[in-house]
Amino acid sequence: MSLKKDNYKSSDKKIMNFAIRLAENKKYLTGTNPSVGCVIVKNNEILSFATTNNGGRPHAESIALNKNRYNKGTSLYSTLEPCSHHGVTPPCTNLIIKNKVKRVYYSIEDKDLRTFNKTKKILKSKKIVAISGLQKLNVKNLYKEYNYIRSNKAPYVIGKIASSSNLNILRNNSYITNEHSRRVSHILRFQNQAILTSYKTINTDNPKLNCRLNGLEKFSPTVVVIDKNLKIKINSYVIKNSTNSKLIIFHCSQNNSKIKMLKNLGVKLIYQKLVNNINFNLRSITQKLYTLGLHRLLVESGKDLMTNFLNENLLNEFYFFKSDKIISNRDKINISSLVKMINKNYKNKKKINTYLDKDTLTHYY
């Protein structure tokens, strides 16, 4: 059954908007599974509500249904098409049928091909009314990354770089931007499952690449380093903390002694062939990360690696932080050509400028 937008009741819209708010509160906490909000209603009374559990399981529908002793004759509101495939857990459609739910509303179809557009048929066969499209425009942003990941079977990749007002970056670990910009950077780290950089950045800046916001430290991303010849310094922070930070290095080295040393330190090494004996295929690397369950990727690197990501059209979004400082010393790198490339690559997309005290953040998406 399909209803036009104008036929939805005001109460239905309000309930689904509540489900959407629930899902938004858990976004980035549900692993490779989407964050879903679910509300169970009967006789205009909310009986229960739930979101997808941290890590992705149990699903929101399962949690909400299990909160009630009786669900017969209820209406279930879900921000996403309830799953109909057997995975780690049984399909949510099985639970809906078992609990004798009368009516199911959901906003959009699940891009996972195991479920996509199958739920209605399954529920209809059991005489359960299934209505899709409720507040679908309101969930567009909620599932933007998830829909891209599922449709393309590739990570959603975000680029990030910071410079002085005269478009220079330092060759050491000195801060360019203010504390407000740095807090936004840490939010980005929390929101992404992996953070990718080059060995040059590691050796020059010795960055921690973790999330240092109170309460979110345990959500620090897996660190991924591009290092063809394993030149990374053994005494770097990411090496010393590789067990806790989950460090992955892509390389093509034959240095067996260093390979053994890094493995003993808890580093995951992935051998990758070069293209034309020059560089790695970055798309191939992102595909490998996808297979490892790292579906949201933040690239925090220097000029060269970021340029390569832009050239290969691998960045879905970009965050450019610019401070009010002027860097004029010799030990600097100018990124004016990179900024021109960013503006060119995103000229047909949206751009938002935000002031973070005296810093400026430009978000391209």
Side-chain angles (χ1 to χ4, degrees):
M1 180 176 180
S2 178
L3 297 180
K4 293 182 179 180
K5 180 180 178 182
D6 291 343
N7 289 336
Y8 296 131
K9 295 179 182 178
S10 174
S11 58
D12 292 331
K13 294 179 182 179
K14 288 179 181 179
I15 294 167
M16 186 59 81
N17 283 338
F18 175 45
I20 293 169
R21 299 290 90 78
L22 291 170
E24 288 174 339
N25 288 337
K26 272 290 184 74
K27 192 176 180 181
Y28 307 116
L29 295 174
T30 56
T32 58
N33 283 342
S35 177
V36 174
C38 179
V39 183
I40 309 293
V41 176
K42 188 173 184 179
N43 298 327
N44 296 318
E45 179 185 353
I46 293 178
L47 301 184
S48 63
F49 56 85
T51 54
T52 308
N53 204 32
N54 285 358
R57 298 179 185 88
H59 292 179
E61 298 92 333
S62 172
I63 298 172
L65 287 169
N66 286 328
K67 284 182 177 181
N68 304 318
R69 190 172 180 183
Y70 300 109
N71 289 295
K72 183 178 179 180
T74 57
S75 293
L76 181 148
Y77 295 76
S78 179
T79 54
L80 189 68
E81 178 181 13
C83 70
S84 57
H85 64 274
H86 284 269
V88 176
T89 56
C92 288
T93 49
N94 284 12
L95 274 176
I96 292 169
I97 295 165
K98 181 180 178 181
N99 280 270
K100 298 183 179 180
V101 173
K102 182 179 179 180
R103 189 180 295 256
V104 173
Y105 295 89
Y106 58 91
S107 290
I108 60 171
E109 286 73 27
D110 189 344
K111 291 293 184 180
D112 189 328
L113 295 179
R114 296 172 297 177
T115 285
F116 179 69
N117 224 12
K118 297 174 182 176
T119 296
K120 274 187 183 180
K121 184 177 180 181
I122 292 170
L123 296 180
K124 184 179 178 181
S125 70
K126 300 298 181 179
K127 302 189 184 310
I128 298 172
V129 177
I131 303 169
S132 64
L134 178 58
Q135 300 300 75
K136 63 181 180 181
L137 294 180
N138 290 13
V139 301
K140 185 177 180 181
N141 189 59
L142 173 63
Y143 295 119
K144 177 183 175 182
E145 296 101 320
Y146 174 75
N147 286 340
Y148 176 88
I149 293 163
R150 288 298 187 190
S151 298
N152 295 278
K153 298 189 184 304
Y156 191 88
V157 188
I158 295 174
K160 176 252 172 184
I161 203 164
S163 82
S164 64
S165 61
N166 56 336
L167 302 182
N168 288 329
I169 59 177
L170 293 170
R171 293 180 185 271
N172 54 54
N173 201 22
S174 301
Y175 290 128
I176 298 175
T177 55
N178 62 32
E179 62 175 313
H180 307 294
S181 294
R182 294 198 295 275
R183 286 181 69 84
V184 174
S185 295
H186 284 281
I187 290 172
L188 289 174
R189 291 178 182 178
F190 152 70
Q191 291 177 344
N192 287 276
Q193 296 167 317
I195 181 169
L196 184 146
T197 193
S198 69
Y199 80 91
K200 292 180 181 178
T201 296
I202 299 296
N203 289 352
T204 303
D205 299 343
N206 194 24
K208 294 181 179 179
L209 299 178
N210 55 9
C211 177
R212 297 190 292 279
L213 296 176
N214 289 338
L216 297 179
E217 295 90 346
K218 66 179 181 179
F219 297 107
S220 291
T222 295
V223 177
V224 181
V225 180
I226 306 295
D227 186 5
K228 290 189 291 186
N229 299 309
L230 292 181
K231 292 183 178 180
I232 191 168
K233 294 179 180 177
I234 294 295
N235 64 347
S236 62
Y237 179 89
V238 294
I239 293 287
K240 288 181 177 179
N241 293 271
S242 58
T243 301
N244 295 326
S245 66
K246 299 166 291 185
L247 176 62
I248 298 173
I249 299 179
F250 284 89
H251 74 101
C252 59
S253 172
Q254 300 296 330
N255 187 339
N256 292 327
S257 61
K258 192 159 189 181
I259 289 173
K260 182 178 180 180
M261 185 187 304
L262 290 169
K263 285 184 176 180
N264 288 337
L265 290 169
V267 180
K268 181 179 179 63
L269 295 173
I270 299 177
Y271 186 87
Q272 188 82 9
K273 292 183 179 179
L274 295 174
V275 177
N276 298 324
N277 293 317
I278 301 175
N279 291 315
F280 289 134
N281 182 324
L282 294 178
R283 190 175 298 277
S284 176
I285 286 176
T286 60
Q287 284 295 136
K288 179 62 179 178
L289 294 175
Y290 172 82
T291 64
L292 293 174
L294 300 171
H295 291 181
R296 294 188 305 276
L297 175 65
L298 177 66
V299 178
E300 266 195 51
S301 71
K303 178 181 178 181
D304 294 340
L305 182 57
M306 195 67 75
T307 298
N308 290 339
F309 264 90
L310 285 165
N311 279 332
E312 294 196 30
N313 197 31
L314 288 171
L315 300 177
N316 300 88
E317 298 183 25
F318 203 97
Y319 286 80
F320 174 42
F321 297 83
K322 187 163 70 171
S323 78
D324 65 326
K325 297 177 183 177
I326 294 177
I327 298 175
S328 57
N329 67 319
R330 294 179 182 178
D331 197 26
K332 67 180 188 308
I333 300 172
N334 187 268
I335 63 165
S336 56
S337 60
L338 178 64
V339 174
K340 288 180 180 178
M341 183 181 294
I342 294 168
N343 284 312
K344 181 179 179 181
N345 281 27
Y346 292 94
K347 67 179 180 179
N348 295 322
K349 296 189 176 182
K350 295 181 181 178
K351 180 172 75 171
I352 293 179
N353 287 316
T354 303
Y355 292 99
L356 301 169
D357 195 10
K358 294 182 180 180
D359 286 0
T360 303
L361 166 60
T362 304
H363 179 201
Y364 304 82
Y365 64 103

